[in-house]
Amino acid sequence: MKFNLRSLSRNLALAALALLAQRATAETFRVAAYNVETYLDQPTETRHVKTAESKAKVQESILALKPDILSVEEMGSVSALTELRNSLKAGGLDYPYWEHVTGADTNIHVAILSKFPITARRSHTNENFLLSGKRFKVSRGFGEVDIQINTNYTLTVLAAHLKSKRAVAEADEKELRFQEAKLLREKIDARFAENPNANLVVLGDFNDSKDSPSTKVVIGRGKNKLIDTRPAERNGDNAPNENPAYEPRNITWTHHFGKEDTYSRIDFILISPGLAKEWVTNETYVGTIPNWGVGSDHRPILATFEAENK
């Protein structure tokens, strides 16, 4: 039997090109987190209605990113969420599937918006913990849903807004945030116990830096340690840090604290080792639009993934 080496080489080359083309056109989806700073349509005892100008800028920020799945923090009532969804739909971004989470805080909430069907809901609205002999509730609860991206790909989304740094008389704010973070980590570990290869994203406003005890406990350790996607501005920065132990010196801040005029990274998109295999790193970034601060004291962050288990 004779082999036509030229024909074989040509066929192999065509097959390789076809595989590359398939990978280049692989279906992707985009996940974002955004603290929309008191998105209220009705006043409460302690918070004002968000202005029309501020709402419009929030909508502009979201429309600029066009996420397929969006976690929002500091959302008001269901009617406020409906108002946001309708405004985004008018701008060409439709979220027919959503989850609004009600916790102990009756003013602001966590919500999840999705273009894809939500197939399971496990949000946690009554989590509590004991601290110094007192019982405390997780203020905003945790949003947890399964989303069917396509026939063969499911994503679990865990959204959180941990205790702020605002001092309270009842307990130390760092301790309260740490206890909330421990409960959030329990939910993460429960997903891994059910499926060690779960496609899991944990995102939201953690109200502290990556090196803080509360954020560290959410990230975890060992084989189930979450990966920090670390979205940064797309401004051309691509040089590594001179010290290989440190992250690159690109611009990653997500929050401006007006009282101290400081900028920090307290919003995160963390992913499971399984989901990290599908992570599109060069399509992961911080949203930047002119006058972003009219909408919120936070900037939105976004990460992109391929919708195919690797």
Side-chain angles (χ1 to χ4, degrees), residues 224-252:
N224 292 333
K225 181 179 180 179
L226 299 179
I227 292 93
D228 178 14
T229 60
R230 197 175 181 269
E233 288 187 17
R234 297 197 294 182
N235 61 1
D237 289 345
N238 57 14
N241 197 307
E242 291 182 359
N243 185 335
Y246 297 156
E247 298 284 4
R249 291 175 176 170
N250 45 11
I251 302 173
T252 61

PDB file of all heavy atoms in Angstrom, residues 224-252:
ATOM      1  N   ASN A 224      -9.379  23.936  45.795  1.00  0.00           N
ATOM      2  CA  ASN A 224     -10.602  24.689  45.511  1.00  0.00           C
ATOM      3  C   ASN A 224     -10.419  26.196  45.684  1.00  0.00           C
ATOM      4  O   ASN A 224     -11.390  26.935  45.844  1.00  0.00           O
ATOM      5  CB  ASN A 224     -11.750  24.201  46.389  1.00  0.00           C
ATOM      6  CG  ASN A 224     -12.186  22.789  46.016  1.00  0.00           C
ATOM      7  OD1 ASN A 224     -12.029  22.369  44.867  1.00  0.00           O
ATOM      8  ND2 ASN A 224     -12.737  22.061  46.975  1.00  0.00           N
ATOM      9  N   LYS A 225      -9.184  26.642  45.627  1.00  0.00           N
ATOM     10  CA  LYS A 225      -8.911  28.072  45.693  1.00  0.00           C
ATOM     11  C   LYS A 225      -9.440  28.749  44.430  1.00  0.00           C
ATOM     12  O   LYS A 225      -9.246  28.254  43.313  1.00  0.00           O
ATOM     13  CB  LYS A 225      -7.405  28.309  45.818  1.00  0.00           C
ATOM     14  CG  LYS A 225      -7.010  29.767  45.912  1.00  0.00           C
ATOM     15  CD  LYS A 225      -5.488  29.907  46.059  1.00  0.00           C
ATOM     16  CE  LYS A 225      -5.075  31.365  46.144  1.00  0.00           C
ATOM     17  NZ  LYS A 225      -3.602  31.512  46.308  1.00  0.00           N
ATOM     18  N   LEU A 226     -10.101  29.871  44.606  1.00  0.00           N
ATOM     19  CA  LEU A 226     -10.639  30.606  43.462  1.00  0.00           C
ATOM     20  C   LEU A 226      -9.549  31.452  42.807  1.00  0.00           C
ATOM     21  O   LEU A 226      -8.601  31.874  43.463  1.00  0.00           O
ATOM     22  CB  LEU A 226     -11.803  31.500  43.906  1.00  0.00           C
ATOM     23  CG  LEU A 226     -13.009  30.791  44.521  1.00  0.00           C
ATOM     24  CD1 LEU A 226     -14.065  31.812  44.939  1.00  0.00           C
ATOM     25  CD2 LEU A 226     -13.613  29.770  43.563  1.00  0.00           C
ATOM     26  N   ILE A 227      -9.726  31.703  41.529  1.00  0.00           N
ATOM     27  CA  ILE A 227      -8.769  32.501  40.758  1.00  0.00           C
ATOM     28  C   ILE A 227      -9.316  33.913  40.613  1.00  0.00           C
ATOM     29  O   ILE A 227     -10.480  34.110  40.247  1.00  0.00           O
ATOM     30  CB  ILE A 227      -8.510  31.876  39.377  1.00  0.00           C
ATOM     31  CG1 ILE A 227      -7.759  30.559  39.522  1.00  0.00           C
ATOM     32  CG2 ILE A 227      -7.728  32.823  38.485  1.00  0.00           C
ATOM     33  CD1 ILE A 227      -8.619  29.342  39.591  1.00  0.00           C
ATOM     34  N   ASP A 228      -8.472  34.899  40.902  1.00  0.00           N
ATOM     35  CA  ASP A 228      -8.839  36.312  40.775  1.00  0.00           C
ATOM     36  C   ASP A 228      -8.616  36.745  39.328  1.00  0.00           C
ATOM     37  O   ASP A 228      -7.476  36.759  38.850  1.00  0.00           O
ATOM     38  CB  ASP A 228      -7.975  37.132  41.735  1.00  0.00           C
ATOM     39  CG  ASP A 228      -8.243  38.621  41.653  1.00  0.00           C
ATOM     40  OD1 ASP A 228      -9.268  39.016  41.054  1.00  0.00           O
ATOM     41  OD2 ASP A 228      -7.422  39.389  42.201  1.00  0.00           O
ATOM     42  N   THR A 229      -9.683  37.114  38.626  1.00  0.00           N
ATOM     43  CA  THR A 229      -9.531  37.529  37.227  1.00  0.00           C
ATOM     44  C   THR A 229      -8.872  38.896  37.093  1.00  0.00           C
ATOM     45  O   THR A 229      -8.378  39.235  36.026  1.00  0.00           O
ATOM     46  CB  THR A 229     -10.889  37.549  36.508  1.00  0.00           C
ATOM     47  OG1 THR A 229     -11.768  38.479  37.166  1.00  0.00           O
ATOM     48  CG2 THR A 229     -11.527  36.168  36.490  1.00  0.00           C
ATOM     49  N   ARG A 230      -8.910  39.688  38.108  1.00  0.00           N
ATOM     50  CA  ARG A 230      -8.214  40.979  38.195  1.00  0.00           C
ATOM     51  C   ARG A 230      -8.409  41.839  36.946  1.00  0.00           C
ATOM     52  O   ARG A 230      -7.446  42.180  36.240  1.00  0.00           O
ATOM     53  CB  ARG A 230      -6.725  40.759  38.459  1.00  0.00           C
ATOM     54  CG  ARG A 230      -5.978  41.998  38.959  1.00  0.00           C
ATOM     55  CD  ARG A 230      -4.535  41.661  39.313  1.00  0.00           C
ATOM     56  NE  ARG A 230      -3.840  42.837  39.818  1.00  0.00           N
ATOM     57  CZ  ARG A 230      -3.150  43.694  39.054  1.00  0.00           C
ATOM     58  NH1 ARG A 230      -3.083  43.504  37.761  1.00  0.00           N
ATOM     59  NH2 ARG A 230      -2.545  44.729  39.590  1.00  0.00           N
ATOM     60  N   PRO A 231      -9.630  42.253  36.661  1.00  0.00           N
ATOM     61  CA  PRO A 231      -9.863  43.118  35.499  1.00  0.00           C
ATOM     62  C   PRO A 231      -9.086  44.432  35.627  1.00  0.00           C
ATOM     63  O   PRO A 231      -8.964  44.998  36.713  1.00  0.00           O
ATOM     64  CB  PRO A 231     -11.375  43.365  35.547  1.00  0.00           C
ATOM     65  CG  PRO A 231     -11.923  42.217  36.344  1.00  0.00           C
ATOM     66  CD  PRO A 231     -10.879  41.920  37.368  1.00  0.00           C
ATOM     67  N   ALA A 232      -8.579  44.898  34.499  1.00  0.00           N
ATOM     68  CA  ALA A 232      -7.806  46.144  34.477  1.00  0.00           C
ATOM     69  C   ALA A 232      -8.252  47.000  33.297  1.00  0.00           C
ATOM     70  O   ALA A 232      -8.902  46.515  32.363  1.00  0.00           O
ATOM     71  CB  ALA A 232      -6.312  45.834  34.370  1.00  0.00           C
ATOM     72  N   GLU A 233      -7.893  48.270  33.343  1.00  0.00           N
ATOM     73  CA  GLU A 233      -8.214  49.160  32.228  1.00  0.00           C
ATOM     74  C   GLU A 233      -7.519  48.688  30.950  1.00  0.00           C
ATOM     75  O   GLU A 233      -6.375  48.234  30.986  1.00  0.00           O
ATOM     76  CB  GLU A 233      -7.766  50.591  32.546  1.00  0.00           C
ATOM     77  CG  GLU A 233      -8.603  51.279  33.591  1.00  0.00           C
ATOM     78  CD  GLU A 233      -8.224  52.750  33.736  1.00  0.00           C
ATOM     79  OE1 GLU A 233      -7.566  53.294  32.822  1.00  0.00           O
ATOM     80  OE2 GLU A 233      -8.584  53.353  34.769  1.00  0.00           O
ATOM     81  N   ARG A 234      -8.206  48.844  29.826  1.00  0.00           N
ATOM     82  CA  ARG A 234      -7.612  48.493  28.532  1.00  0.00           C
ATOM     83  C   ARG A 234      -6.980  49.753  27.919  1.00  0.00           C
ATOM     84  O   ARG A 234      -7.515  50.339  26.989  1.00  0.00           O
ATOM     85  CB  ARG A 234      -8.678  47.905  27.605  1.00  0.00           C
ATOM     86  CG  ARG A 234      -9.263  46.605  28.123  1.00  0.00           C
ATOM     87  CD  ARG A 234      -9.986  45.841  27.052  1.00  0.00           C
ATOM     88  NE  ARG A 234     -11.174  46.551  26.585  1.00  0.00           N
ATOM     89  CZ  ARG A 234     -12.005  46.071  25.663  1.00  0.00           C
ATOM     90  NH1 ARG A 234     -11.780  44.896  25.113  1.00  0.00           N
ATOM     91  NH2 ARG A 234     -13.062  46.773  25.293  1.00  0.00           N
ATOM     92  N   ASN A 235      -5.855  50.150  28.491  1.00  0.00           N
ATOM     93  CA  ASN A 235      -5.198  51.400  28.079  1.00  0.00           C
ATOM     94  C   ASN A 235      -3.836  51.168  27.449  1.00  0.00           C
ATOM     95  O   ASN A 235      -3.076  52.110  27.236  1.00  0.00           O
ATOM     96  CB  ASN A 235      -5.072  52.342  29.278  1.00  0.00           C
ATOM     97  CG  ASN A 235      -4.230  51.724  30.391  1.00  0.00           C
ATOM     98  OD1 ASN A 235      -3.730  50.608  30.261  1.00  0.00           O
ATOM     99  ND2 ASN A 235      -4.085  52.433  31.494  1.00  0.00           N
ATOM    100  N   GLY A 236      -3.520  49.915  27.174  1.00  0.00           N
ATOM    101  CA  GLY A 236      -2.229  49.595  26.571  1.00  0.00           C
ATOM    102  C   GLY A 236      -1.192  49.068  27.534  1.00  0.00           C
ATOM    103  O   GLY A 236      -0.138  48.583  27.110  1.00  0.00           O
ATOM    104  N   ASP A 237      -1.424  49.153  28.841  1.00  0.00           N
ATOM    105  CA  ASP A 237      -0.473  48.613  29.815  1.00  0.00           C
ATOM    106  C   ASP A 237      -0.357  47.096  29.632  1.00  0.00           C
ATOM    107  O   ASP A 237      -1.364  46.382  29.690  1.00  0.00           O
ATOM    108  CB  ASP A 237      -0.944  48.902  31.243  1.00  0.00           C
ATOM    109  CG  ASP A 237      -0.832  50.365  31.629  1.00  0.00           C
ATOM    110  OD1 ASP A 237      -0.130  51.097  30.911  1.00  0.00           O
ATOM    111  OD2 ASP A 237      -1.448  50.769  32.634  1.00  0.00           O
ATOM    112  N   ASN A 238       0.861  46.614  29.437  1.00  0.00           N
ATOM    113  CA  ASN A 238       1.049  45.161  29.309  1.00  0.00           C
ATOM    114  C   ASN A 238       2.374  44.684  29.891  1.00  0.00           C
ATOM    115  O   ASN A 238       2.730  43.514  29.747  1.00  0.00           O
ATOM    116  CB  ASN A 238       0.958  44.729  27.838  1.00  0.00           C
ATOM    117  CG  ASN A 238       1.959  45.448  26.954  1.00  0.00           C
ATOM    118  OD1 ASN A 238       2.891  46.065  27.447  1.00  0.00           O
ATOM    119  ND2 ASN A 238       1.758  45.359  25.655  1.00  0.00           N
ATOM    120  N   ALA A 239       3.114  45.562  30.552  1.00  0.00           N
ATOM    121  CA  ALA A 239       4.416  45.186  31.098  1.00  0.00           C
ATOM    122  C   ALA A 239       4.246  44.473  32.437  1.00  0.00           C
ATOM    123  O   ALA A 239       3.399  44.847  33.255  1.00  0.00           O
ATOM    124  CB  ALA A 239       5.285  46.428  31.284  1.00  0.00           C
ATOM    125  N   PRO A 240       5.053  43.435  32.683  1.00  0.00           N
ATOM    126  CA  PRO A 240       5.014  42.772  33.995  1.00  0.00           C
ATOM    127  C   PRO A 240       5.665  43.648  35.061  1.00  0.00           C
ATOM    128  O   PRO A 240       6.397  44.594  34.750  1.00  0.00           O
ATOM    129  CB  PRO A 240       5.836  41.507  33.754  1.00  0.00           C
ATOM    130  CG  PRO A 240       6.788  41.882  32.656  1.00  0.00           C
ATOM    131  CD  PRO A 240       6.038  42.840  31.772  1.00  0.00           C
ATOM    132  N   ASN A 241       5.383  43.327  36.296  1.00  0.00           N
ATOM    133  CA  ASN A 241       6.040  44.025  37.397  1.00  0.00           C
ATOM    134  C   ASN A 241       7.503  43.591  37.472  1.00  0.00           C
ATOM    135  O   ASN A 241       7.819  42.429  37.213  1.00  0.00           O
ATOM    136  CB  ASN A 241       5.322  43.709  38.714  1.00  0.00           C
ATOM    137  CG  ASN A 241       5.661  44.693  39.816  1.00  0.00           C
ATOM    138  OD1 ASN A 241       6.823  44.936  40.118  1.00  0.00           O
ATOM    139  ND2 ASN A 241       4.643  45.261  40.420  1.00  0.00           N
ATOM    140  N   GLU A 242       8.394  44.521  37.817  1.00  0.00           N
ATOM    141  CA  GLU A 242       9.806  44.169  37.952  1.00  0.00           C
ATOM    142  C   GLU A 242      10.012  43.123  39.033  1.00  0.00           C
ATOM    143  O   GLU A 242      10.949  42.327  38.976  1.00  0.00           O
ATOM    144  CB  GLU A 242      10.627  45.420  38.258  1.00  0.00           C
ATOM    145  CG  GLU A 242      10.714  46.397  37.093  1.00  0.00           C
ATOM    146  CD  GLU A 242      11.580  47.597  37.418  1.00  0.00           C
ATOM    147  OE1 GLU A 242      12.090  47.663  38.557  1.00  0.00           O
ATOM    148  OE2 GLU A 242      11.756  48.462  36.543  1.00  0.00           O
ATOM    149  N   ASN A 243       9.137  43.134  40.028  1.00  0.00           N
ATOM    150  CA  ASN A 243       9.181  42.121  41.081  1.00  0.00           C
ATOM    151  C   ASN A 243       8.179  41.026  40.703  1.00  0.00           C
ATOM    152  O   ASN A 243       6.961  41.254  40.729  1.00  0.00           O
ATOM    153  CB  ASN A 243       8.817  42.733  42.424  1.00  0.00           C
ATOM    154  CG  ASN A 243       8.964  41.750  43.577  1.00  0.00           C
ATOM    155  OD1 ASN A 243       8.884  40.528  43.386  1.00  0.00           O
ATOM    156  ND2 ASN A 243       9.171  42.267  44.783  1.00  0.00           N
ATOM    157  N   PRO A 244       8.635  39.845  40.349  1.00  0.00           N
ATOM    158  CA  PRO A 244       7.713  38.798  39.888  1.00  0.00           C
ATOM    159  C   PRO A 244       6.724  38.327  40.951  1.00  0.00           C
ATOM    160  O   PRO A 244       5.735  37.652  40.633  1.00  0.00           O
ATOM    161  CB  PRO A 244       8.657  37.661  39.476  1.00  0.00           C
ATOM    162  CG  PRO A 244       9.923  37.912  40.224  1.00  0.00           C
ATOM    163  CD  PRO A 244      10.036  39.404  40.345  1.00  0.00           C
ATOM    164  N   ALA A 245       6.960  38.694  42.195  1.00  0.00           N
ATOM    165  CA  ALA A 245       6.033  38.313  43.264  1.00  0.00           C
ATOM    166  C   ALA A 245       4.790  39.192  43.277  1.00  0.00           C
ATOM    167  O   ALA A 245       3.803  38.852  43.940  1.00  0.00           O
ATOM    168  CB  ALA A 245       6.734  38.387  44.613  1.00  0.00           C
ATOM    169  N   TYR A 246       4.833  40.314  42.554  1.00  0.00           N
ATOM    170  CA  TYR A 246       3.740  41.272  42.563  1.00  0.00           C
ATOM    171  C   TYR A 246       2.996  41.251  41.234  1.00  0.00           C
ATOM    172  O   TYR A 246       3.517  40.844  40.198  1.00  0.00           O
ATOM    173  CB  TYR A 246       4.251  42.681  42.829  1.00  0.00           C
ATOM    174  CG  TYR A 246       4.911  42.875  44.172  1.00  0.00           C
ATOM    175  CD1 TYR A 246       5.834  43.893  44.377  1.00  0.00           C
ATOM    176  CD2 TYR A 246       4.604  42.038  45.243  1.00  0.00           C
ATOM    177  CE1 TYR A 246       6.444  44.079  45.606  1.00  0.00           C
ATOM    178  CE2 TYR A 246       5.198  42.219  46.472  1.00  0.00           C
ATOM    179  CZ  TYR A 246       6.121  43.231  46.654  1.00  0.00           C
ATOM    180  OH  TYR A 246       6.713  43.403  47.874  1.00  0.00           O
ATOM    181  N   GLU A 247       1.751  41.735  41.285  1.00  0.00           N
ATOM    182  CA  GLU A 247       0.940  41.848  40.078  1.00  0.00           C
ATOM    183  C   GLU A 247       1.454  42.993  39.200  1.00  0.00           C
ATOM    184  O   GLU A 247       2.156  43.888  39.682  1.00  0.00           O
ATOM    185  CB  GLU A 247      -0.522  42.122  40.459  1.00  0.00           C
ATOM    186  CG  GLU A 247      -1.185  41.015  41.269  1.00  0.00           C
ATOM    187  CD  GLU A 247      -1.572  39.815  40.420  1.00  0.00           C
ATOM    188  OE1 GLU A 247      -1.253  39.815  39.208  1.00  0.00           O
ATOM    189  OE2 GLU A 247      -2.169  38.881  40.960  1.00  0.00           O
ATOM    190  N   PRO A 248       1.130  42.988  37.903  1.00  0.00           N
ATOM    191  CA  PRO A 248       1.527  44.107  37.037  1.00  0.00           C
ATOM    192  C   PRO A 248       0.977  45.431  37.551  1.00  0.00           C
ATOM    193  O   PRO A 248      -0.054  45.473  38.219  1.00  0.00           O
ATOM    194  CB  PRO A 248       0.901  43.737  35.686  1.00  0.00           C
ATOM    195  CG  PRO A 248       0.687  42.272  35.746  1.00  0.00           C
ATOM    196  CD  PRO A 248       0.392  41.954  37.179  1.00  0.00           C
ATOM    197  N   ARG A 249       1.655  46.512  37.194  1.00  0.00           N
ATOM    198  CA  ARG A 249       1.236  47.842  37.643  1.00  0.00           C
ATOM    199  C   ARG A 249       0.231  48.450  36.677  1.00  0.00           C
ATOM    200  O   ARG A 249       0.376  49.594  36.232  1.00  0.00           O
ATOM    201  CB  ARG A 249       2.464  48.738  37.796  1.00  0.00           C
ATOM    202  CG  ARG A 249       3.371  48.336  38.953  1.00  0.00           C
ATOM    203  CD  ARG A 249       4.633  49.182  38.991  1.00  0.00           C
ATOM    204  NE  ARG A 249       5.455  48.849  40.152  1.00  0.00           N
ATOM    205  CZ  ARG A 249       6.699  49.288  40.329  1.00  0.00           C
ATOM    206  NH1 ARG A 249       7.253  50.086  39.412  1.00  0.00           N
ATOM    207  NH2 ARG A 249       7.390  48.936  41.395  1.00  0.00           N
ATOM    208  N   ASN A 250      -0.789  47.679  36.350  1.00  0.00           N
ATOM    209  CA  ASN A 250      -1.850  48.247  35.522  1.00  0.00           C
ATOM    210  C   ASN A 250      -2.963  48.776  36.419  1.00  0.00           C
ATOM    211  O   ASN A 250      -2.944  48.594  37.636  1.00  0.00           O
ATOM    212  CB  ASN A 250      -2.371  47.239  34.490  1.00  0.00           C
ATOM    213  CG  ASN A 250      -2.606  45.868  35.080  1.00  0.00           C
ATOM    214  OD1 ASN A 250      -2.582  45.688  36.297  1.00  0.00           O
ATOM    215  ND2 ASN A 250      -2.823  44.888  34.233  1.00  0.00           N
ATOM    216  N   ILE A 251      -3.943  49.428  35.833  1.00  0.00           N
ATOM    217  CA  ILE A 251      -4.931  50.186  36.610  1.00  0.00           C
ATOM    218  C   ILE A 251      -6.164  49.319  36.833  1.00  0.00           C
ATOM    219  O   ILE A 251      -6.909  49.012  35.900  1.00  0.00           O
ATOM    220  CB  ILE A 251      -5.296  51.494  35.894  1.00  0.00           C
ATOM    221  CG1 ILE A 251      -4.038  52.339  35.683  1.00  0.00           C
ATOM    222  CG2 ILE A 251      -6.323  52.273  36.709  1.00  0.00           C
ATOM    223  CD1 ILE A 251      -4.263  53.568  34.836  1.00  0.00           C
ATOM    224  N   THR A 252      -6.381  48.934  38.085  1.00  0.00           N
ATOM    225  CA  THR A 252      -7.441  47.977  38.405  1.00  0.00           C
ATOM    226  C   THR A 252      -8.470  48.503  39.402  1.00  0.00           C
ATOM    227  O   THR A 252      -9.393  47.767  39.761  1.00  0.00           O
ATOM    228  CB  THR A 252      -6.829  46.689  38.986  1.00  0.00           C
ATOM    229  OG1 THR A 252      -6.120  47.015  40.194  1.00  0.00           O
ATOM    230  CG2 THR A 252      -5.875  46.032  38.002  1.00  0.00           C
TER     231      THR A 252
END
